[in-house]
Amino acid sequence: MGAISEKDKKHLQKIFEKNVQTGVKILVFTQEDRHREIKELMQELATTSNKIEVELYDFTRDSEKIKQYNIDKIPAIAIIGKEDYGVRFYGIPSGYEFSSLVEDIIDVSRGTTDLPEKIRNQLGSINKPIHIQVFVTPTCPYCPKVVRLAHKFAIENDLIISDMIEATEFPNLALKYRVMSVPKTVINEKIEFVGALSEEDFLEYILAA
Amino acid sequence: MNTDILIIGSGPAGIQAAIYAARRKVDVIILGKLENSSLAKAHVENYFGISGPIVGIDLLRVGKEQAEKFGAKFIEEDALHLERKDDKFIVKTEGGKEVESKAVIFAMGVSRKKLGVKGEQQFQGRGVSYCAECDCGFFKGKKVAVIGDGSAAASSAILLAKYASKVYLISKKLSTSEHLQDELKVGNIEIIEGKRISEIYGNSAVGGIKLDGSSLEVEGVFIELGSKGVIELAVNVGLLPDPRGYIHVNEEQKTSVLGIFACGDICGPPLQLAKAVGEGCIAGIEAAEYVKRISKLEKQTV
Ligand SMILES: Cc1cc2nc3c(=O)[nH]c(=O)nc-3n(C[C@H](O)[C@H](O)[C@H](O)COP(=O)(O)OP(=O)(O)OC[C@H]3O[C@@H](n4cnc5c(N)ncnc54)[C@H](O)[C@@H]3O)c2cc1C
């Protein structure tokens, strides 16, 4: 134990107490005794609220769950609320991304986000599957903003699935998508952009995908 | 070092905030270099009470003297890092100093981030980067160039030297603290001064740069002009600028983080001297009031 400091735990307790509505499940997909760090981090996080539960799954043994949640690499995290909104983290959400995880938990517990009505309406009109991959590093201050937007979009539209991918933990993916700067976002394998965008501009790219 | 209020940025907004805060008898330290203020090169004609054009750097120098007269202390160094420790803020400067403060005023202005050379746009995300902290891991064992004259370029070169096989620090004229200059003395950092970069070239990704006609082969080009920007300093304390890089404040110049205020160009348009000093005035007053209030509370609880 000790992945989260006592002081941070108190702080988390407070904000979860105030903001988490319905129960949230954090599904953690790892392999055997690898990925101890991510398991510990999530389990400690869950101690800060009785509305947050962690379920651990094994990549080789729990093939049914792997299929159900469409997990194709590990370590992976799926944040599930009343339903599965398609919020995923691949690699440890550490550094600046820890705040994305915390804010995502709150949004998922509410099943809604603070996106402006106009954006939500436009998102509602999307009627085909969208897969957003956001490549990040833990030391990137610009990244959480993009991860959060991608996850908010996923929460607002069932057809959108959004992945945070820690680029240094998945070097072959970083290579495949030619990631040399983060945040880098890839939409449906065909549209990509580097950097942080406003809600409107990000949405434009999704609509074009 | 300890202070009540730390102001990051010594342009008109920061200096005006220093004047108001220092007159309220709280300790004020102000960081930054006058000559890096947007005003330093301006000829101002549209500011109240000034009719003929007046040179910006002169205004800044007089402002500095005024603030010093009221007790504000200037440290002409850039802030490299800001973090929260309990109820205080700690800033690390390019000179290796650590300043602990009860309140912070952001007055860093806006600065140019783009170089404006051929190939820069084309290769963004394909070897051209504006954030060494973010992207250093992608250049392990590779040759890279860092472009810039100030503390941002120097600190980025030092970081990148831990990953890259070779770091060329390319600068018109390097102007940074001795502390950073010392840290730059690493085997794989080479400083190239006085040469102009005219192009970033390559095929699908960066292949090199053109320097005064000759080429230098690199796979990464880090553009780090000026000082550490607002995003790098702000995120650690939980403050996120909007997508344009501006900080949102309320009518008391308070940001969304308790104890942090902001004023001047950093808060968005109009990017004008009159607005900068107006906001600086409010930020100085409000920060002083805030510090007095929490100091009183501290005394009561002891
Ligand atoms: C060529 C030009 C002409 C202009 N003419 C006019 C005019 O005629 N009238 C008018 O009203 N306005 C004019 N302006 C705009 C005006 O100069 C700005 O609105 C004003 O300077 C903003 O003040 P500021 O204090 O917010 O930022 P700045 O004046 O830009 O000051 C920012 C300060 O922050 C410091 N800083 C930045 N990063 C760090 C860091 N990491 N650590 C420490 N310090 C840091 C800088 O060194 C600088 O001291 C002009 C601007 C330019 C560029």
Side-chain angles (χ1 to χ4, degrees), chain B residues 9-13 33 36-38 42 46 79 109 227-228 264-265 271-273:
Chain B
S10 54
K33 300 164 188 173
N36 288 351
S37 157
S38 290
N46 58 355
S227 322
K228 280 288 162 206
D265 282 2
L271 306 183
Q272 289 287 304
L273 173 59

Side-chain angles (χ1 to χ4, degrees), chain B residues 87-88 102 291-302:
Chain B
D87 302 325
K88 301 228 165 111
K102 292 176 185 159
V291 164
K292 285 185 178 173
R293 213 163 40 239
I294 58 167
S295 304
K296 217 188 220 162
L297 280 177
E298 270 170 19
K299 271 188 207 131
Q300 280 169 0
T301 49
V302 170

Side-chain angles (χ1 to χ4, degrees), chain B residues 55-67:
Chain B
V55 185
I57 191 76
D58 295 340
L59 273 178
L60 289 161
R61 291 210 181 101
V62 176
K64 180 184 176 210
E65 276 170 29
Q66 275 174 291

Side-chain angles (χ1 to χ4, degrees), chain B residues 182-258:
Chain B
D182 279 344
E183 286 193 46
L184 280 170
K185 288 178 188 141
V186 181
N188 59 341
I189 298 180
E190 184 178 330
I191 300 174
I192 300 178
E193 266 181 312
K195 289 216 172 137
R196 217 173 53 86
I197 169 167
S198 56
E199 185 186 341
I200 300 170
Y201 64 83
N203 294 318
S204 61
V206 169
I209 54 177
K210 288 247 161 70
L211 277 182
D212 281 346
S214 64
S215 352
L216 185 67
E217 277 182 26
V218 290
E219 290 181 68
V221 179
F222 288 82
I223 297 167
E224 296 279 357
L225 309 177
S227 322
K228 280 288 162 206
V230 52
I231 292 192
E232 289 92 338
L233 292 175
V235 279
N236 273 336
V237 290
L239 193 60
L240 273 186
D242 73 14
R244 293 177 306 168
Y246 295 128
I247 299 250
H248 289 253
V249 288
N250 67 9
E251 63 274 20
E252 292 166 334
Q253 302 302 128
K254 289 180 177 154
T255 68
S256 57
V257 175
L258 189 69

Side-chain angles (χ1 to χ4, degrees), chain A residues 2 5-7 10 44 50-52 55 58 77-78 118 125 135 145 159 162 165 167-169 181 192-193 196-197:
Chain A
S5 74
E6 287 307 315
K7 191 153 183 263
K10 284 220 181 82
E44 277 193 37
N50 54 16
K51 290 196 186 124
I52 301 175
E55 289 176 10
D58 187 273
I77 294 171
K118 193 172 141 228
S125 73
F135 289 89
K145 199 149 210 163
L159 289 167
S162 295
I165 301 173
T168 49
E169 211 156 348
S181 272
E192 54 174 63
F193 62 86
L197 295 183

Side-chain angles (χ1 to χ4, degrees), chain B residues 7-15 30-47 54 60 75 77-81 91 94 106-111 151 226-230 233 263-267 270-277 279:
Chain B
I7 301 171
I8 308 179
S10 54
I15 296 178
I30 170 167
L31 293 178
K33 300 164 188 173
L34 299 189
E35 65 278 10
N36 288 351
S37 157
S38 290
L39 189 60
K41 292 186 181 71
H43 291 261
V44 183
E45 289 183 318
N46 58 355
Y47 186 74
I54 180 163
L60 289 161
I75 300 178
E77 289 177 15
D78 286 342
L80 289 186
H81 184 82
V91 84
E94 62 174 313
F106 279 172
M108 288 93 101
V110 291
S111 56
S151 59
S227 322
K228 280 288 162 206
V230 52
L233 292 175
C263 54
D265 282 2
I266 206 175
C267 300
L271 306 183
Q272 289 287 304
L273 173 59
K275 178 204 158 250
V277 295
E279 291 183 353

Side-chain angles (χ1 to χ4, degrees), chain A residues 7 96 137 139-142 145 167-168 174 178-182 192 194 197-198, chain B residues 86 125-129 131 133-135 138-139 204 231-232 235-236 241-243:
Chain A
K7 191 153 183 263
Y96 294 131
T137 58
T139 48
C140 164
Y142 309 87
K145 199 149 210 163
T168 49
R178 300 200 299 176
V179 181
M180 295 173 90
S181 272
V182 287
E192 54 174 63
V194 172
L197 295 183
S198 67
Chain B
D86 301 328
R126 309 194 162 189
V128 170
S129 165
C131 177
E133 288 90 345
C134 307
D135 302 333
F138 302 122
F139 294 86
S204 61
I231 292 192
E232 289 92 338
V235 279
N236 273 336
D242 73 14

